[in-house]
Amino acid sequence: MANPIAAQRNKGNVQQSLDRATAIVIDGKLDEWGDTLVYEHATQKFRYHIKNDDKNLYIAMRVVDKDRQMQIFAQGLAFMTNTKGKKREGPTVYFPVADRLAFRSIMSADNDNRPDDMRKGALAAIRAIYVMRFEDVLDGQISLENTYGIHAQATLDTADALCVEMAVPLERLRVSVQDGDELAFNVKINGVMIPGSGSSASTMRRGYGYPYGYGYGYPYGYGQAMPSKPREEPGVWVVAPLAKE
């Protein structure tokens, strides 16, 4: 598997420290996050904000660009934490993971309730969260209603933007607010760069289910085969300790 955390020179307002979370509900609605998300991953065209309380890490992401939205439905978003404060691999949550057969059924011409908007069909087909590198959770898909405390939801808001929220328990990461140590966080839309394809979402090529192999191309089976050592789209890094009260 290719190293997913290559650094990039990201223009935009990048988060420098974590903020304290208050009464966040993981429902895909960003009401608790203010009028707009504060920080920006300019290259991948999304806004985000990372917060924590004494129990959980929280990430909210909002994506207006529709091509990037379809990339998310095909490949997912990734929220990674390196508990040593290094810009290297660590426990990662990928979301959303849609069921391909369910999506095909929802979008079938024989379905009388088939949505006109493919994105709404993809939202209705979300079935799981994918996790990697957690000490006490096996790599792979977990249910949306899992017992690990890892939760995620996605919605389309009234401005037609895709909104995603995730929560990761600090105990799953083996960290605590009282530790005071710096952690490193990486946030990105999954995608793989093939040489010569360019860097925009419209010219990228998505592999078949990379990195977690559940069978999607971009969008839904129309990608090219992966090179042997693909270069992933880099995310934006935040290196900071957890926020205390």
Side-chain angles (χ1 to χ4, degrees):
M1 182 174 179
N3 188 334
I5 47 77
Q8 79 166 15
R9 189 181 299 276
N10 178 65
K11 297 179 180 179
N13 182 21
V14 178
Q15 186 168 354
Q16 301 297 318
S17 61
L18 267 61
D19 296 305
R20 190 74 181 178
T22 304
I24 291 179
V25 178
I26 303 301
D27 55 8
K29 301 175 183 178
L30 306 184
D31 300 342
E32 311 95 316
W33 298 82
D35 293 336
T36 185
L37 298 181
V38 178
Y39 304 106
E40 179 185 19
H41 186 333
T43 304
Q44 286 197 328
K45 299 180 181 178
F46 68 79
R47 301 191 73 85
Y48 69 96
H49 200 159
I50 305 170
K51 296 185 179 183
N52 71 274
D53 55 22
D54 287 341
K55 293 185 177 180
N56 296 297
L57 273 172
Y58 302 95
I59 176 71
M61 302 170 72
R62 187 172 186 269
V63 185
V64 175
D65 183 87
K66 290 187 177 180
D67 194 67
R68 286 293 186 180
Q69 290 177 12
M70 289 310 303
Q71 181 184 348
I72 290 166
F73 287 126
Q75 294 293 150
L77 296 163
F79 178 43
M80 180 169 64
T81 304
N82 182 284
T83 58
K84 304 299 183 183
K86 306 296 185 182
K87 294 182 179 181
R88 299 175 182 172
E89 289 182 341
T92 306
V93 177
Y94 299 95
F95 182 81
V97 180
D99 183 275
R100 182 170 55 179
L101 294 179
F103 177 77
R104 286 179 175 174
S105 176
I106 291 168
M107 298 305 296
S108 170
D110 296 329
N111 181 2
D112 292 337
N113 296 316
R114 180 178 184 267
D116 294 330
D117 190 335
M118 180 183 284
R119 298 170 304 160
K120 294 181 180 178
L123 282 171
I126 293 172
R127 295 290 185 270
I129 302 165
Y130 198 96
V131 297
M132 290 186 70
R133 306 183 198 92
F134 285 84
E135 289 187 19
D136 59 353
V137 185
L138 291 176
D139 290 358
Q141 291 187 24
I142 60 175
S143 168
L144 294 176
E145 302 298 329
N146 63 81
T147 59
Y148 303 113
I150 299 171
H151 298 299
Q153 290 291 334
T155 61
L156 291 171
D157 67 17
T158 55
D160 219 23
L162 177 63
C163 302
V164 175
E165 288 180 299
M166 303 184 197
V168 181
L170 299 181
E171 66 176 359
R172 294 280 168 235
L173 300 168
R174 303 288 195 266
V175 298
S176 167
V177 170
Q178 283 69 41
D179 295 341
D181 297 329
E182 281 196 336
L183 307 177
F185 309 93
N186 187 267
V187 185
K188 71 174 183 176
I189 303 171
N190 282 322
V192 200
M193 295 187 288
I194 293 177
S197 67
S199 59
S200 69
S202 61
T203 58
M204 300 291 288
R205 297 294 181 265
R206 318 300 166 198
Y208 293 101
Y210 188 80
Y212 31 81
Y214 63 85
Y216 296 137
Y218 176 78
Y220 296 93
Y222 295 98
Q224 289 184 351
M226 297 291 297
S228 58
K229 291 186 178 181
R231 179 184 168 213
E232 296 182 39
E233 287 196 71
V236 59
W237 281 103
V238 178
V239 180
L242 295 170
K244 296 181 179 181
E245 283 190 291

